[in-house]
Amino acid sequence: MIFSARNMVVISVRLLVALGLLQVLTFAALLKAEKTDSQFLLFPNATSGERHSPGYCAMYDLCGERSDGKVLNCPYSTPAVMPDEFLSSKIQSLCPMISGNVCCTETQFDTLRAQVQQAIPFLVGCPACLRNFLNLFCELSCSPNQSMFINVTSIAKGNCTSTVDAIDFYVSDAFGEGLYNSCKDVKFGTMNTRAIQFIGAGAQNFREWFAFIGHQAELGTPGSPYAINFKSRPESSGMELMNVSVYSCGDTSLGCSCGDCPSIPVCSDYEPPSPQEKDACLIGLWSMKVKCIEFSLAILYIVLVSAFFGWGLFHRTRERRTPSSNTKPLLNFEDEKHTAMKVHGMVPQETNAQLSAVQGYMSSFYRQYGTWVAKNPTLVLCMSLAVVLILCLGLIHFKVETRPEKLWVGPGSRAAEEKNFFDSHLAPFYRIEQLILATMPDIKSGKSSSIVSDDNIWLLFEIQKKVDGLRANYSGSMVFLTDICLKPMGQDCATQSVLQYFKMDPENYYRYGGVQHVEYCFQHYTSADTCMSAFKAPLDPSTALGGFSGNNYTEASAFILTYPVNNAIGGAGNENGKSVAWEKAFIQLVKDELLPMVQSRNLTLSFSSESSIEEELKRESTADVITISISYLVMFAYISITLGDASHLSSFYVSSKVLLGLSGVIVVVLSVLGSVGFFSAIGVKSTLIIMEVIPFLVLAVGVDNMCILVHAVKRQPSGLPLEERISNALVEVGPSITLASLSEVLAFAVGSFIPMPACRVFSMFAALAVFLDFLLQVTAFVALIVFDFMRAEDNRIDCFPCIKVPFSSVESDEGINQRKPGFLAWYMQEVHAPILGIWGVKIAIVAAFFAFTLASIALCTRIEPGLEQQIVLPRDSYLQGYFNDVSEYLRIGPPLYFVVKDYNYRISRASLSPESSYIAKPAASWLDDFLVWMSPEAFGCCRKYVNGSYCPPDDQPPCCSPDEGYCDLGGVCKDCTTCFRHSDLNSGRPSTEQFREKLPWFLNALPSADCAKGGYGAYTSSVDLNGYESGVIQASEFRTYHTPLNKQADYVNSLRAAREFSSRVSDALKYPNLSIFSVLHVLRAISGYLEDSFNQHFYSTCGAVFIVCLVITSSVWSSAIILLVLAMIIVDLMGVMACLDIQLNAVSVVNLIMSIGIAVEFCVHLSHAFSVSQGDRNQRATKALGTMGASVFSGITLTKLVGVLVLYFSRSEIFVVYYFQMYLALVLIGFLHGLVFLPVILSMIGPPSVYDVPLKQQEEEEPPSTPA
């Protein structure tokens, strides 16, 4: 992401370093006084004892200046001078180590003190560093023994004068090391960096720092006017090293903060988080490294397969020695008429089934209910439709939730509370409009050339001109960028662009030096006045450039233009309305004018606005309407075909079930609409996922039930009255439909407790839709079956029931509605079942499926959380290229805020290990800067008039003329004094009253060269002052930045790392009110608890399904097998997700939740048919496949397969990945487990039949059947 412009606002730091601080580094550069008349000439024949002796100066006073105005020292070796009492007290206040004679005059010291005050705000946070830093220059400037460690090595001749051109400064390594160590970690909060970056060019050791200090600056550039060569070994006799006492920042008496000095004992107990080692548990096998979990699963698989194979061999041997079963199948097609007669009443209806109480009640209910429905189809149809239509009236209040933060983050979740607290107490995060201009990569090398050139910068000026002139219409008024942009320090927009190095003015381009000036600003953006932005803040090159490595900004291959725009809380109001209107016009401008302009220069341009994602998601919701519609039409066509009979072409128009299939689809649609209508009526908003997924889900469940019901009726003998056929069919399949539907309803109902709104709302809508679908299936659809069979028996044409054909034109031997085994039923019973009955095939299937499941368990650990932004957008979206460019070019991550009510002194330490903490920079602490601003040492910051009112620094109005920059030191601010003396503070800290009084001063203080710590702009919105008079600050934030986040895993890990870090700090401080906020965390927060939420839902769902199965079947055995297969389907689906690199996110979790419901359909019907069949296990498995296998295969597998295949042609990547791939995997995995693995398991270890009665006993109880 980009730097926060409002938080980047700091002083004109270029004055601080260019004209002040680096001049402080040399005695000569500190002098602006007039030349003195007393000159002691340095004769060439002077003895070394006179030049390098205690009590002598090596340089004294001024003798000239360079053409750029920088003053130069006199190379005079004069004895140190005894100052008067007043001067001595002044020197002691700044240089307590120096007493007695000195080598500086009062004028020189006053200038030194005035210049040093510019460095104090950088270093005063660590008094040890500040003291060491001041000692270095106090010794250089005023030490009475100056000649002992300073040697003038070069003298420049001027007009009758000589000036110093170069010196050797002998400093001990111990002092240099101590100075550097005490200052290296001191931070400059407003720029989220360390002070050493400003005063030492990022030096890594004291030698680099000294080299930077001593470099002789060229004319017109910041730095020393003459060379200073720091040396650690004297080369002349009589000289010695400057080695005054050095203070450690760890000295607790000096009061350094932990952020400025991590070596303080109180801070040393905290260590930055170490990088998490991935795959730490590895086992070496020859030259390979295998994960422990994979090795353990392999061993487990070998043990299970070996045990299973041994058991199978033993069982097979025993089975051969045991006589075959003497039980009789429940349904005998050869004796079907006898069975039908018995059921019809020609023989007693008593059976020997050992049904559970629930099953017995359900069978009795469905027998009576089926007869009643068949006799009153019109009443049942009207009553059921009336109930659903009443629920559909709620659609009047139908609303769709499209806001991402409302879809994925619960209102009571931690992320939502953090965002609401941040927005209400501090300031809502600004809106971002961004352009990324990049060079084309070379075809051969693949590398991109540098974009920093004259032509490309002028192209930026042309682009900026068009953007500045862009107008948008909002409610009849014209909106310009200047009306909505972020303006932290006046009237200039905080645009992040390299054009800021020219003050956004093309007239400054050649005046400042063109490309050379840009390259110069890359290294001196904090120091050079001409590099300061138009909005009066330094512009970090990493926010305006991309595609470079390290700090090699000149190699950048991309310009990044960012326009921060004001945001409003809640996304409402005129402010956001204006912004959205301008953003739409901005996107249109880029497409129509800027894109062709850039492409004509052989460059690429990607772009985005704050509202782009929402607009593209809305476009995506309509992009695949045709594809989804075709998918449903294909499924409907297949349903119509599979429900009918096509044995004779001459009777097809009567035996087909197109009208019944259409009616069934309408029933499914009504169940979905009824569910949506009910929840809309009670104020629950729908989502796009609901509209896309739930019809697919309910259609899968509904079609399966439709096929089962129709096929069950067809299986009944044609000689029975229609009422009896309907009744018998419901008795046969009603319990399994009820069991499957209740399991699915409970499975989805459990999901309503998931904290993520999208998944919770989906589960609620799905549970009610499936329940309504079940009710309509056993009411309205059964009534429709009655009407359809009456139509067919009356020889009326399907779809045109008013037309009746002659009886002779259709088959009449056994009735058109009589069940004749179709191809699927024949295949299942005559081909599929016998193959699965082979013992070797059984062993191979069980071994293969368990291997697949165990491998999927290992693969599940590789599923990464997150949702790639490119996937959720249409393939032709302009944001596709933008997100790719963001990952490739951006070199800084999004802002991260630590929101606290007290001082957080440990945040900066996390930036020491960015690879694990994902924190790139030390925190900007308003409290640190406030305490520095109040410090008596920072005598240019907190000042007051005689009457006690606020007095600004000397370089600000009214102390200084705003037009000419002229400062009258004898003007209105001559009597201003510091706010506090040391005696006014308690151990350097203000009292509650002092804190309360001066905090508003600090937040309104403009930063400037005389005081870099002014809080206006940088911290204006960092503190909530509401109610602070009571002594409690309700909210404050400390700002830092993430490292670049290029992948979804980076976003998820950064959120996890930030929360773990804040938790450790809270525990260490025993302060619970520490939270984090980043604008991107809100949408990624779900990944932190997504896995736990899904696991919780999965276990709860499995438990609910097991309980329902147990209550209805009263068989722990059967329920356990259903639960096993259900779990295997979901685990195997997750294994396929890992293989296809499908991430775990809200969409995939919704699909997994839906998969649980569909997996129940694959298991329950076949298991129930097995339990009510008679014979040995092989016979019962064959019978179950013959009766239910065809319905499950045609109702779920083939129906979903033909519909899913159409989704492959979707324009949206999310449909291809999360719907086509996942649904296809679900259908195939469900089919294999439901119709291959489950029958094998049932044939081997299935539960006993409820008709467990010896054949002989049953035959004795039955009267002999009469031949038909």
Side-chain angles (χ1 to χ4, degrees):
M1 292 299 295
I2 65 166
F3 275 108
S4 173
R6 71 162 182 263
N7 293 328
M8 286 177 55
V9 176
V10 294
I11 63 161
S12 300
V13 184
R14 75 289 185 190
L15 295 177
L16 172 65
V17 179
L19 302 179
L21 182 58
L22 292 180
Q23 291 178 353
V24 171
L25 306 181
T26 67
F27 171 68
L30 299 174
L31 303 178
K32 293 181 181 178
E34 296 181 356
K35 299 178 183 179
T36 181
D37 292 332
S38 57
Q39 299 179 356
F40 297 88
L41 298 177
L42 176 64
F43 296 98
N45 59 356
T47 65
S48 97
E50 293 175 340
R51 292 184 56 194
H52 305 296
S53 300
Y56 274 80
C57 304
M59 303 178 295
Y60 193 83
D61 221 335
L62 300 176
C63 286
E65 63 180 24
R66 303 198 313 179
S67 58
D68 58 1
K70 292 184 178 180
V71 293
L72 298 169
N73 281 355
C74 302
Y76 301 147
S77 179
T78 178
V81 178
M82 174 61 70
D84 57 32
E85 183 177 354
F86 178 70
L87 176 59
S88 178
S89 63
K90 291 174 63 177
I91 293 176
Q92 282 285 304
S93 66
L94 191 66
C95 306
M97 301 291 292
I98 298 178
S99 60
N101 295 343
V102 296
C103 286
C104 58
T105 65
E106 181 177 357
T107 305
Q108 294 169 346
F109 179 79
D110 288 341
T111 306
L112 168 65
R113 187 177 185 275
Q115 295 293 341
V116 164
Q117 78 173 41
Q118 296 181 352
I120 287 177
F122 284 91
L123 308 175
V124 73
C126 184
C129 168
L130 178 61
R131 175 46 47 206
N132 294 331
F133 186 81
L134 293 177
N135 284 346
L136 176 67
F137 298 107
C138 285
E139 293 293 320
L140 173 65
S141 305
C142 296
S143 173
N145 301 316
Q146 189 186 71
S147 64
M148 298 295 295
F149 44 79
I150 291 180
N151 184 33
V152 179
T153 58
S154 178
I155 298 175
K157 299 294 184 179
N159 296 329
C160 303
T161 61
S162 298
T163 58
V164 174
D165 190 53
I167 65 170
D168 288 340
F169 189 4
Y170 295 97
V171 181
S172 69
D173 289 346
F175 179 85
E177 191 74 29
L179 169 64
Y180 178 78
N181 289 337
S182 65
C183 296
K184 65 179 181 180
D185 292 313
V186 176
K187 63 182 183 297
F188 182 45
T190 52
M191 282 294 292
N192 283 105
T193 189
R194 305 195 185 279
I196 197 70
Q197 297 289 337
F198 294 89
I199 62 176
Q204 300 298 313
N205 52 63
F206 78 92
R207 298 187 189 280
E208 293 182 7
W209 192 6
F210 283 170
F212 171 77
I213 291 173
H215 177 72
Q216 184 175 15
E218 298 179 358
L219 294 176
T221 61
S224 172
Y226 55 81
I228 306 175
N229 300 311
F230 287 88
K231 295 185 177 182
S232 58
R233 184 175 302 172
E235 298 175 355
S236 302
S237 60
M239 297 193 71
E240 59 185 28
L241 298 175
M242 193 281 289
N243 190 26
V244 297
S245 299
V246 64
Y247 297 91
S248 170
C249 69
D251 188 345
T252 56
S253 64
L254 295 175
C256 293
S257 67
C258 288
D260 293 329
C261 182
S263 62
I264 296 177
V266 72
C267 311
S268 60
D269 60 342
Y270 170 75
E271 293 297 331
S274 59
Q276 297 181 355
E277 296 183 4
K278 296 183 179 180
D279 304 334
C281 182
L282 298 175
I283 297 176
L285 294 178
W286 295 282
S287 60
M288 299 185 301
K289 293 289 186 180
V290 182
K291 294 181 181 179
C292 292
I293 185 174
E294 296 175 354
F295 181 79
S296 301
L297 290 173
I299 297 298
L300 177 62
Y301 175 72
I302 294 173
V303 172
L304 289 177
V305 170
S306 300
F308 183 76
F309 183 79
W311 173 85
L313 186 62
F314 170 77
H315 182 75
R316 184 65 173 166
T317 303
R318 189 182 67 173
E319 198 175 59
R320 290 176 178 177
R321 298 175 182 175
T322 305
S324 58
S325 173
N326 63 345
T327 54
K328 179 181 178 181
L330 171 65
L331 298 177
N332 191 333
F333 284 116
E334 285 76 11
D335 200 20
E336 190 178 55
K337 290 186 178 180
H338 165 71
T339 304
M341 292 171 64
K342 183 174 65 175
V343 173
H344 185 47
M346 297 179 182
V347 293
Q349 296 186 16
E350 289 82 0
T351 67
N352 297 290
Q354 303 297 317
L355 296 175
S356 67
V358 176
Q359 283 182 310
Y361 173 79
M362 291 173 62
S363 298
S364 176
F365 168 78
Y366 276 120
R367 182 173 300 282
Q368 299 177 14
Y369 172 75
T371 303
W372 181 75
V373 171
K375 292 180 179 180
N376 304 279
T378 304
L379 177 62
V380 172
L381 183 62
C382 293
M383 290 178 60
S384 58
L385 293 181
V387 172
V388 177
L389 291 176
I390 291 175
L391 293 177
C392 291
L393 294 177
L395 293 173
I396 299 174
H397 304 286
F398 175 75
K399 294 181 180 180
V400 178
E401 183 62 78
T402 59
R403 291 175 293 177
E405 67 274 12
K406 296 295 184 181
L407 288 174
W408 313 125
V409 183
S413 66
R414 180 177 177 181
E417 290 177 352
E418 290 170 348
K419 182 181 185 301
N420 293 336
F421 187 84
F422 188 91
D423 289 346
S424 60
H425 288 83
L426 300 170
F429 195 78
Y430 51 81
R431 307 173 69 90
I432 296 175
E433 335 296 341
Q434 200 166 59
L435 300 173
I436 300 179
L437 191 72
T439 57
M440 299 284 288
D442 183 71
I443 299 178
K444 295 182 179 179
S445 63
K447 296 182 178 180
S448 299
S449 60
S450 173
I451 198 170
V452 183
S453 66
D454 287 311
D455 292 338
N456 292 334
I457 294 177
W458 276 111
L459 176 61
L460 285 185
F461 277 118
E462 295 180 32
I463 293 174
Q464 187 61 45
K465 182 178 180 180
K466 290 184 176 293
V467 172
D468 288 338
L470 178 64
R471 297 182 300 175
N473 190 327
Y474 177 72
S475 299
S477 60
M478 293 294 104
V479 180
F480 292 85
L481 176 61
T482 53
D483 298 326
I484 60 174
C485 69
L486 189 67
K487 303 173 183 177
M489 288 282 290
Q491 298 302 313
D492 293 298
C493 295
T495 301
Q496 307 292 289
S497 169
V498 294
L499 300 183
Q500 291 288 4
Y501 296 138
F502 303 100
K503 306 293 189 292
M504 303 295 290
D505 187 353
E507 294 183 0
N508 291 333
Y509 186 72
Y510 290 115
R511 184 187 308 167
Y512 286 178
V515 173
Q516 290 74 21
H517 174 71
V518 173
E519 295 176 350
Y520 171 78
C521 289
F522 290 162
Q523 305 302 324
H524 303 89
Y525 66 95
T526 61
S527 59
D529 180 49
T530 54
C531 297
M532 196 58 55
S533 67
F535 59 93
K536 301 178 181 65
L539 179 72
D540 192 326
S542 61
T543 67
L545 299 173
F548 57 88
S549 59
N551 292 328
N552 299 320
Y553 301 120
T554 55
E555 299 177 358
S557 57
F559 284 141
I560 301 174
L561 286 77
T562 307
Y563 303 97
V565 172
N566 292 317
N567 203 356
I569 298 177
N574 293 336
E575 190 68 27
N576 276 1
K578 293 179 180 179
S579 299
V580 171
W582 188 89
E583 287 165 358
K584 292 181 179 179
F586 171 72
I587 295 298
Q588 199 62 41
L589 171 70
V590 177
K591 290 180 178 180
D592 296 343
E593 300 184 33
L594 301 187
L595 194 58
M597 179 193 306
V598 171
Q599 290 175 342
S600 65
R601 310 288 182 92
N602 200 30
L603 300 173
T604 64
L605 178 65
S606 58
F607 50 95
S608 171
S609 70
E610 185 72 18
S611 57
S612 289
I613 294 181
E614 186 172 350
E615 293 297 325
E616 287 297 284
L617 287 178
K618 290 180 181 178
R619 185 171 72 88
E620 183 209 28
S621 63
T622 59
D624 290 300
V625 171
I626 296 178
T627 304
I628 297 174
S629 300
I630 293 175
S631 175
Y632 283 115
L633 289 175
V634 171
M635 287 189 289
F636 161 67
Y638 173 77
I639 293 168
S640 302
I641 295 174
T642 192
L643 290 180
D645 294 318
S647 56
H648 295 83
L649 183 62
S650 60
S651 62
F652 175 77
Y653 48 85
V654 174
S655 62
S656 66
K657 306 292 182 185
V658 175
L659 188 59
L660 182 62
L662 175 62
S663 302
V665 173
I666 293 176
V667 166
V668 171
V669 173
L670 287 177
S671 65
V672 175
L673 294 178
S675 176
V676 176
F678 172 78
F679 285 108
S680 298
I682 62 177
V684 179
K685 292 184 179 181
S686 182
T687 66
L688 294 178
I689 290 182
I690 290 176
M691 308 313 298
E692 294 165 351
V693 178
I694 286 186
F696 209 82
L697 165 68
V698 180
L699 192 61
V701 176
V703 170
D704 185 40
N705 291 340
M706 290 192 307
C707 291
I708 290 173
L709 284 170
V710 173
H711 292 168
V713 176
K714 287 182 177 181
R715 280 197 297 270
Q716 308 305 314
S718 59
L720 295 176
L722 182 58
E723 293 87 352
E724 294 294 337
R725 280 180 279 163
I726 296 294
S727 176
N728 293 342
L730 285 178
V731 171
E732 180 184 341
V733 301
S736 67
I737 291 177
T738 304
L739 175 60
S741 298
L742 289 181
S743 299
E744 292 157 1
V745 170
L746 275 181
F748 292 120
V750 171
S752 62
F753 296 99
I754 295 179
M756 184 168 38
C759 293
R760 182 178 66 252
V761 172
F762 167 81
S763 298
M764 293 164 53
F765 278 66
L768 182 57
V770 171
F771 181 70
L772 291 177
D773 181 64
F774 164 69
L775 293 180
L776 291 177
Q777 293 288 340
V778 298
T779 55
F781 189 71
V782 172
L784 291 171
I785 291 177
V786 174
F787 285 128
D788 186 77
F789 273 71
M790 293 172 61
R791 172 200 61 78
E793 291 177 354
D794 200 26
N795 296 329
R796 297 184 180 275
I797 297 177
D798 190 21
C799 298
F800 301 98
C802 295
I803 302 176
K804 185 176 181 180
V805 297
F807 181 79
S808 59
S809 62
V810 298
E811 57 179 340
S812 59
D813 52 347
E814 296 183 2
I816 57 177
N817 285 324
Q818 182 180 353
R819 172 64 175 171
K820 293 183 178 180
F823 173 76
L824 285 179
W826 172 84
Y827 168 79
M828 286 293 174
Q829 192 162 4
E830 302 297 334
V831 179
H832 192 74
I835 293 177
L836 297 183
I838 300 175
W839 192 258
V841 174
K842 293 182 181 181
I843 297 295
I845 287 175
V846 172
F849 275 78
F850 273 113
F852 188 14
T853 300
L854 293 177
S856 296
I857 293 175
L859 290 171
C860 285
T861 60
R862 302 185 181 184
I863 299 179
E864 294 185 354
L867 178 62
E868 296 294 341
Q869 295 165 313
Q870 293 91 328
I871 290 180
V872 303
L873 299 169
R875 292 177 175 177
D876 60 348
S877 173
Y878 62 86
L879 291 178
Q880 295 284 358
Y882 170 75
F883 287 128
N884 292 333
D885 287 351
V886 166
S887 299
E888 181 176 357
Y889 296 119
L890 262 63
R891 293 297 183 264
I892 192 166
L896 171 65
Y897 299 91
F898 287 84
V899 183
V900 296
K901 296 180 182 178
D902 201 354
Y903 177 45
N904 180 0
Y905 64 85
R906 297 187 177 209
I907 295 176
S908 62
R909 294 219 61 199
S911 64
L912 301 178
S913 53
E915 68 282 352
S916 59
S917 66
Y918 290 86
I919 297 177
K921 295 175 177 290
S925 170
W926 67 266
L927 186 54
D928 275 354
D929 286 352
F930 175 47
L931 296 177
V932 169
W933 182 83
M934 291 178 60
S935 173
E937 282 86 356
F939 38 78
C941 292
C942 185
R943 306 199 309 170
K944 61 183 179 181
Y945 290 111
V946 177
N947 61 5
S949 60
Y950 173 68
C951 176
D954 284 330
D955 59 351
Q956 294 183 23
C959 303
C960 186
S961 172
D963 299 326
E964 302 176 1
Y966 172 74
C967 299
D968 182 10
L969 298 180
V972 295
C973 298
K974 64 178 179 178
D975 295 327
C976 288
T977 59
T978 58
C979 294
F980 305 107
R981 294 171 296 182
H982 283 287
S983 58
D984 298 330
L985 304 176
N986 182 14
S987 299
R989 294 292 186 260
S991 65
T992 301
E993 183 61 32
Q994 292 168 338
F995 191 100
R996 181 188 303 117
E997 179 186 358
K998 296 301 184 291
L999 181 58
W1001 287 18
F1002 165 72
L1003 295 177
N1004 292 314
L1006 294 172
S1008 64
D1010 279 356
C1011 182
K1013 293 295 185 177
Y1016 184 79
Y1019 300 120
T1020 302
S1021 59
S1022 295
V1023 184
D1024 181 9
L1025 292 180
N1026 292 325
Y1028 90 104
E1029 297 86 357
S1030 62
V1032 176
I1033 294 179
Q1034 295 185 11
S1036 64
E1037 52 92 348
F1038 298 85
R1039 182 191 69 255
T1040 183
Y1041 292 88
H1042 277 305
T1043 54
L1045 308 177
N1046 298 323
K1047 301 182 298 183
Q1048 286 300 304
D1050 294 337
Y1051 287 103
V1052 175
N1053 292 334
S1054 67
L1055 172 60
R1056 183 180 294 112
R1059 284 190 169 166
E1060 289 177 355
F1061 170 75
S1062 65
S1063 178
R1064 286 196 301 270
V1065 173
S1066 295
D1067 293 340
L1069 296 177
K1070 295 180 174 56
Y1071 186 79
N1073 297 322
L1074 172 64
S1075 61
I1076 60 171
F1077 171 76
S1078 179
V1079 64
L1080 296 180
H1081 284 177
V1082 178
L1083 299 181
R1084 270 75 183 186
I1086 57 171
S1087 301
Y1089 57 82
L1090 197 58
E1091 184 176 348
D1092 294 337
S1093 297
F1094 172 72
N1095 290 338
Q1096 181 181 1
H1097 177 266
F1098 177 71
Y1099 298 141
S1100 302
T1101 299
C1102 290
V1105 171
F1106 179 79
I1107 292 174
V1108 171
C1109 294
L1110 182 62
V1111 169
I1112 294 180
T1113 64
S1114 297
S1115 172
V1116 176
W1117 198 338
S1118 177
S1119 302
I1121 291 177
I1122 293 175
L1123 187 63
L1124 171 66
V1125 179
L1126 177 66
M1128 290 178 65
I1129 291 175
I1130 303 303
V1131 170
D1132 291 348
L1133 180 59
M1134 295 182 69
V1136 173
M1137 286 176 57
C1139 295
L1140 298 177
D1141 292 328
I1142 298 178
Q1143 296 172 312
L1144 186 67
N1145 49 57
V1147 181
S1148 58
V1149 166
V1150 168
N1151 285 342
L1152 288 172
I1153 295 173
M1154 182 198 68
S1155 302
I1156 297 175
I1158 295 182
V1160 170
E1161 289 285 328
F1162 280 108
C1163 304
V1164 169
H1165 297 300
L1166 202 68
S1167 178
H1168 181 265
F1170 177 84
S1171 66
V1172 299
S1173 297
Q1174 193 173 3
D1176 61 22
R1177 289 191 176 97
N1178 285 326
Q1179 293 172 340
R1180 291 159 59 201
T1182 301
K1183 188 67 64 178
L1185 282 172
T1187 55
M1188 285 295 177
S1191 298
V1192 172
F1193 182 73
S1194 61
I1196 297 182
T1197 307
L1198 293 182
T1199 304
K1200 294 295 99 183
L1201 192 62
V1202 296
V1204 165
L1205 292 178
V1206 178
L1207 296 179
Y1208 175 76
F1209 302 98
S1210 173
R1211 294 170 56 192
S1212 300
E1213 191 71 17
I1214 191 171
F1215 276 93
V1216 175
V1217 174
Y1218 289 96
Y1219 296 137
F1220 169 70
Q1221 292 182 1
M1222 285 196 70
Y1223 284 7
L1224 181 61
L1226 170 63
V1227 171
L1228 296 179
I1229 291 173
F1231 159 72
L1232 292 174
H1233 283 78
L1235 297 179
V1236 177
F1237 177 73
L1238 180 58
V1240 169
I1241 288 295
L1242 291 174
S1243 67
M1244 298 179 70
I1245 58 172
S1249 173
V1250 296
Y1251 296 93
D1252 193 10
V1253 182
L1255 178 60
K1256 183 180 294 185
Q1257 178 182 346
Q1258 185 172 343
E1259 290 176 345
E1260 291 176 355
E1261 297 174 356
E1262 292 180 1
S1265 59
T1266 304

